[in-house]
Amino acid sequence: MEDEKLIESLRQGSQLAFSQLIDSYQNRVFSTCLNFVYNTQDAEDLAQEVFLEVYRSIGKFKGDAKLSTWIYRISVSKSLEHIRKFKRKKRSGTLLSLAGLQEAGWDVKANEIDHPGVQLENKERAATLFRAIASLPESQRTAFTLNKVEGRSYQEVAELMEVSLSSVEALIFRARKNLKKRLENHYKNEM
Amino acid sequence: MASKEKSTNSEKMNEAPHDWEKEVQATLELAESIQAAEPSPFFKERVLARLDIETEPMLKRNWLRRNRLAIAAAVLLLAVNAFTLLQYSSPEAPSQGAEGVEAIAEVYEMTLDSKY
């Protein structure tokens, strides 16, 4: 179904249209969420939320961007919301964990990585990489993940993040620099 | 001596990267080799099931919540009616009523004996 017809059918509450939408976008939406949260269960929950949000908000979609861009924006937004929630839990968890009342929250360990896209022999390295990415400021993390991990072009990243092309280039440059610094510290301390 | 030091330094500069540098490079490169993944089977069915729950007609789900006062009043009314019916349909009820009337009449000296 073409985008326009699909959007119109979705606005009318068509379940068939919604089913087709899921068929078309489930892999990419899930993959995007997974590349932010690093485990399958959370990524699936988030992906479900994304589609429900699309269904609820289709009336607000103005058509100023492609339908796919809008859907991926929601995916990124939901993923970042999830991460912020976990970071808040972790901050409060630290105090509680010091008091022995709660286990510490978000911390990317190798045994927590459940990313089917990472081969088994790379799990430790992936954990190190994800920990380093997770420590970046949100905008750098988003740009780096969308470009380097997801393989999107700078143009696509700019559309998704609603920033200019030059901003994307700057974000990725800074992200790489920061990642290199963090990884250097990590490996120098290890050796 | 100085030239020997210089050649050692230039050797160091041309040296292979340290182990940690190789690790950093390998880790950064890993980012670009992560494969896309697919959700588990029946993902779509789970989303559609959640959608069904979300879009269930409000009237069906919230009818009880919106009319709770009316329902409570109706139940109370039925209970009072049932109680009243039971009270007046029991065999003791009339005599109890008659005794009560006689007692009142005695108080006001309005019994047949006192009057006539």
Side-chain angles (χ1 to χ4, degrees), chain B residues 41-112:
Chain B
F42 306 111
F43 171 80
K44 182 173 81 172
E45 283 72 14
R46 286 197 290 282
V47 178
L48 293 174
R50 274 189 71 176
L51 185 68
D52 277 344
I53 293 167
E54 273 211 14
T55 57
E56 198 178 331
M58 291 299 282
L59 202 65
K60 190 176 167 188
R61 223 170 352 137
N62 295 327
W63 189 86
L64 281 171
R65 214 184 312 150
R66 281 188 310 193
N67 296 292
R68 60 188 183 279
L69 281 175
I71 291 165
V75 167
L76 190 62
L77 200 60
L78 279 168
V80 165
N81 282 346
F83 176 76
T84 311
L85 271 169
L86 280 170
Q87 281 290 101
Y88 285 100
S89 63
S90 77
E92 291 174 0
S95 61
Q96 277 177 353
E99 275 171 15
V101 168
E102 256 190 61
I104 294 168
E106 267 182 35
V107 166
Y108 291 99
E109 295 175 0
M110 291 190 61
T111 55
L112 281 168

Side-chain angles (χ1 to χ4, degrees), chain A residues 164-183:
Chain A
S164 66
L165 207 57
S166 52
S167 297
V168 171
E169 288 170 357
L171 285 169
I172 290 172
F173 175 79
R174 283 200 287 267
R176 267 195 79 91
K177 197 172 157 193
N178 286 331
L179 282 174
K180 228 177 158 185
K181 206 167 28 175
R182 283 167 171 86
L183 291 172

Side-chain angles (χ1 to χ4, degrees), chain A residues 62-76:
Chain A
K62 292 170 198 159
D64 48 354
K66 285 190 288 186
L67 180 63
S68 57
T69 305
W70 184 64
I71 291 171
Y72 299 136
R73 271 187 204 148
I74 295 175
S75 309
V76 171

Side-chain angles (χ1 to χ4, degrees), chain A residues 6-18 55 58, chain B residues 51 55:
Chain A
L6 183 63
I7 293 164
E8 197 44 51
S9 302
L10 285 168
R11 282 184 177 144
Q12 287 166 13
S14 163
Q15 289 252 359
L16 175 64
F18 189 58
Y55 189 88
I58 193 69
Chain B
L51 185 68
T55 57

Side-chain angles (χ1 to χ4, degrees), chain A residues 64-103:
Chain A
D64 48 354
K66 285 190 288 186
L67 180 63
S68 57
T69 305
W70 184 64
I71 291 171
Y72 299 136
R73 271 187 204 148
I74 295 175
S75 309
V76 171
S77 165
K78 290 274 175 197
S79 302
L80 292 176
E81 218 176 278
H82 177 84
I83 289 163
R84 280 181 218 125
K85 217 189 293 182
F86 262 101
K87 280 190 175 172
R88 275 197 295 271
K89 264 190 193 170
K90 186 189 177 187
R91 270 198 291 273
S92 61
T94 309
L95 293 170
L96 293 170
S97 65
L98 282 175
L101 296 172
Q102 185 182 307
E103 237 182 325

